[in-house]
Amino acid sequence: MILEKFLMGRRRADLSSDDLECLENAAEEPKIIEARTTFISAGTPVSRSTYLIEGFICRYMDDKSGGRQLVGIHVPGDFVDLHAYPLGYLDHDLATLTQCRVAMVPHENLDKILKERASLSKHLWFSTLLDAAQHRDWIFALGRLTAAARIARLMCEMDAKLRAVGLSDNGHFSLPITQPDLGEACGITAVHANRMLRDLRLNKLMTFRGGDVAIHNYDRLTKLAEFDPTYLYLDEMS
Amino acid sequence: MILEKFLMGRRRADLSSDDLECLENAAEEPKIIEARTTFISAGTPVSRSTYLIEGFICRYMDDKSGGRQLVGIHVPGDFVDLHAYPLGYLDHDLATLTQCRVAMVPHENLDKILKERASLSKHLWFSTLLDAAQHRDWIFALGRLTAAARIARLMCEMDAKLRAVGLSDNGHFSLPITQPDLGEACGITAVHANRMLRDLRLNKLMTFRGGDVAIHNYDRLTKLAEFDPTYLYLDEMS
DNA sequence: CGATAATTTGATGTGGCTCAACCTACGTGG
DNA sequence: CCACGTAGGTTGAGCCACATCAAATTATCG
């Protein structure tokens, strides 16, 4: 089986074994991409989409003065650039955070699925809209929350996503990013990210050290972050 | 013809007359929704999606202290909550800004399209991903730009979107929102929005008054906003 | 083991918020 | 047709969250 956690992991159960097999056949042999590698650039035509089996991938956009804004962090089980299938190219860059194992899915195979398998197509469509929902959540965080709350919210989101694919052990998980990365995700400087992490640690809400997260007080953390996992659509698909 | 500008207006040319007719038949008779009405709430199951024929609609999320964050503004030709078809319900609220004329499309009809018309399905999928791309753009603006640049960027985006459906006359267009709305869109207070609008006006970049926008200097405005319309995918679909 | 990047802390500056007042536009009812 | 209520628009004063600049310390890695 190539795609261990296909289609957002948790939702695999929703797929018929028939559809699952079809997806398996649509994917090429997995390959490795090294850490910190930009493997898709904005505006470049894309003819195969990337399913992430193992590792962490981020989306980002550059500003004019050399800064970056992360617009998403992907975990194993995410079909990270399925967007590019209807869109043809992406409006942003994709880069690995860690070494990653990925399976590429040629768009011709997706054409075939779209023609022949309405139910599977709807699942794929669904999975791209999860990204949109997570984008909205980031907009909310950046627009309304303080720096500490943005960090808290990112951690709540990562915990929920990783938990769904079995990679968070009760609030303890690996998030292999640096403090500069965290700043770029939350729209703050690395220096301020560092100070806010200290505050969160001293207040016994959570600890982030060397790419490892430990959530100490889930209630207070989610309250600070105004976190409501509705937008992750973790319940069953209609 | 019910849906004058169906599917992002500008892209209508991409649809076969066959597909266009199919879409027309999928829609119910247009109806009116009054201004400033929340017509879809987060978490409520949705069985029909809303195509916007005339008027302006916004998406928003509430915070705990009574504030709101706008996460999108929709213009005629947008299939505003097509997301709800694969998702089943929305993670945010939808409200009219002005009185709107809309056509509802029952999800059963979309099921039929998904089964029988792969090409049209891909177009619909595409249109939902445009929203995701615009979300990413807002994330960038909120994370990296100053208040004035965020306003500038919003105006550039609205101009580009309205131009595509013939509702912007060379940088002059109607954007029926208030300054408090603008603040909620840009993650700033209404007071600060007012001051930044004054600066933009005094610097002869643009004017916003009573819901009417006039862009005076497109070059300097786009430069301030770091605006690149790639993310709107205004070119042809692959 | 030296180079490079990440983490941490301090001092100081500033963009945007808060609170407050006043003005203008508009809809509603008398 | 005017009085009045309500919401938006405008401007000022003071404050705070976060940025900037700087420097020291600690991983990380060829």
Side-chain angles (χ1 to χ4, degrees):
Chain A
M1 181 136 79
I2 296 174
L3 311 177
E4 286 89 347
K5 304 172 200 299
F6 211 102
L7 214 51
M8 297 306 289
R10 61 184 182 274
R11 292 206 170 262
R12 194 174 146 198
D14 297 345
L15 286 176
S16 69
S17 59
D18 216 32
D19 282 345
L20 203 56
E21 193 190 335
C22 178
L23 266 178
E24 295 281 346
N25 294 335
E28 298 175 350
E29 274 303 301
K31 64 175 189 180
I32 301 291
I33 307 179
E34 288 310 310
R36 298 283 168 176
T37 307
T38 296
F39 63 97
I40 294 188
S41 295
T44 307
V46 174
S47 62
R48 300 183 307 165
S49 286
T50 311
Y51 174 75
L52 178 57
I53 300 169
E54 199 177 353
F56 288 80
I57 286 175
C58 70
R59 310 168 174 279
Y60 67 90
M61 300 168 77
D62 291 305
D63 71 15
K64 282 191 172 155
S65 45
R68 304 199 307 180
Q69 177 65 42
L70 295 202
V71 296
I73 297 177
H74 287 283
V75 305
D78 286 355
F79 209 154
V80 291
D81 64 347
L82 184 53
H83 297 75
Y85 169 58
L87 291 175
Y89 60 92
L90 291 184
D91 48 89
H92 57 280
D93 297 337
L94 278 178
T96 54
L97 289 164
T98 60
Q99 188 189 73
C100 288
R101 196 152 56 94
V102 301
M104 308 303 297
V105 179
H107 289 177
E108 307 94 80
N109 297 353
L110 294 173
D111 282 333
K112 194 148 174 282
I113 288 172
L114 192 57
K115 273 210 189 74
E116 298 171 6
R117 292 182 176 271
S119 140
L120 179 53
S121 299
K122 196 172 173 184
H123 268 89
L124 292 173
W125 189 351
F126 175 95
S127 77
T128 62
L129 297 184
L130 282 181
D131 288 331
Q134 286 162 41
H135 289 338
R136 285 188 285 275
D137 199 65
W138 283 38
I139 291 173
F140 176 83
L142 291 172
R144 296 290 131 189
L145 302 182
T146 63
R150 292 180 204 175
I151 292 174
R153 197 172 180 101
L154 179 63
M155 296 309 174
C156 289
E157 175 182 327
M158 294 311 300
D159 175 59
K161 289 185 66 172
L162 289 170
R163 204 179 285 247
V165 292
L167 292 175
S168 170
D169 174 16
N170 201 32
H172 294 247
F173 55 90
S174 166
L175 182 64
I177 63 175
T178 64
Q179 290 182 13
D181 294 332
L182 185 61
E184 288 174 353
C186 295
I188 57 179
T189 58
V191 170
H192 199 56
N194 179 279
R195 287 191 234 266
M196 294 303 100
L197 284 172
R198 170 162 48 87
D199 290 354
L200 288 167
R201 191 181 339 113
L202 292 178
N203 285 315
K204 300 193 193 305
L205 293 188
M206 56 153 289
T207 301
F208 175 75
R209 223 186 122 265
D212 287 312
V213 177
I215 295 177
H216 305 314
N217 190 323
Y218 195 75
D219 283 351
R220 283 174 58 212
L221 194 70
T222 53
K223 192 169 180 191
L224 171 65
E226 301 190 17
F227 182 72
D228 169 7
T230 300
Y231 75 96
L232 291 169
Y233 294 85
L234 293 166
D235 47 6
E236 292 308 306
M237 185 171 163
S238 70
Chain B
M1 182 135 79
I2 297 174
L3 312 176
E4 287 89 347
K5 305 171 200 298
F6 210 104
L7 211 52
M8 299 304 290
R10 61 185 182 276
R11 294 208 169 260
R12 190 176 149 197
D14 297 345
L15 286 176
S16 70
S17 59
D18 216 33
D19 282 346
L20 203 56
E21 194 189 334
C22 178
L23 268 178
E24 294 281 347
N25 294 335
E28 298 175 349
E29 273 304 300
K31 64 175 189 179
I32 300 291
I33 306 178
E34 288 311 309
R36 299 281 168 177
T37 308
T38 296
F39 63 97
I40 294 189
S41 295
T44 307
V46 175
S47 62
R48 300 182 308 163
S49 286
T50 312
Y51 174 76
L52 178 57
I53 299 169
E54 198 177 354
F56 288 79
I57 286 174
C58 69
R59 309 169 174 279
Y60 67 90
M61 300 168 78
D62 290 305
D63 70 16
K64 282 191 171 154
S65 46
R68 303 199 309 179
Q69 176 67 41
L70 296 202
V71 297
I73 297 178
H74 287 282
V75 304
D78 285 355
F79 209 154
V80 292
D81 64 347
L82 183 52
H83 297 75
Y85 168 56
L87 291 175
Y89 61 92
L90 291 184
D91 47 88
H92 56 281
D93 296 338
L94 277 177
T96 55
L97 289 164
T98 60
Q99 189 188 73
C100 288
R101 196 151 56 92
V102 302
M104 308 303 297
V105 180
H107 289 177
E108 308 94 81
N109 297 353
L110 294 173
D111 282 333
K112 196 151 172 281
I113 287 172
L114 192 56
K115 273 211 190 69
E116 297 170 6
R117 292 182 177 270
S119 139
L120 179 54
S121 299
K122 196 173 173 184
H123 269 89
L124 292 173
W125 190 351
F126 175 95
S127 78
T128 61
L129 297 185
L130 283 181
D131 287 333
Q134 286 162 41
H135 289 338
R136 285 188 286 275
D137 199 65
W138 283 37
I139 291 173
F140 176 83
L142 291 172
R144 296 289 132 188
L145 302 183
T146 63
R150 291 181 205 176
I151 292 174
R153 197 173 180 102
L154 179 62
M155 296 308 174
C156 290
E157 174 181 327
M158 294 311 298
D159 175 59
K161 290 185 67 171
L162 289 170
R163 203 178 285 247
V165 292
L167 291 175
S168 171
D169 175 15
N170 200 32
H172 295 248
F173 54 90
S174 166
L175 182 64
I177 63 175
T178 64
Q179 289 182 11
D181 294 333
L182 185 61
E184 288 174 353
C186 295
I188 58 180
T189 60
V191 171
H192 199 56
N194 180 281
R195 287 190 234 267
M196 294 301 100
L197 284 172
R198 170 162 49 86
D199 289 353
L200 289 167
R201 192 181 338 113
L202 294 178
N203 285 315
K204 299 191 193 310
L205 293 188
M206 56 153 290
T207 300
F208 176 74
R209 223 187 123 264
D212 287 312
V213 177
I215 295 177
H216 305 312
N217 190 323
Y218 195 74
D219 283 350
R220 284 174 57 212
L221 194 71
T222 51
K223 193 169 179 191
L224 171 65
E226 302 189 16
F227 182 70
D228 169 7
T230 301
Y231 75 95
L232 291 169
Y233 294 85
L234 293 166
D235 46 7
E236 293 309 305
M237 185 170 161
S238 70

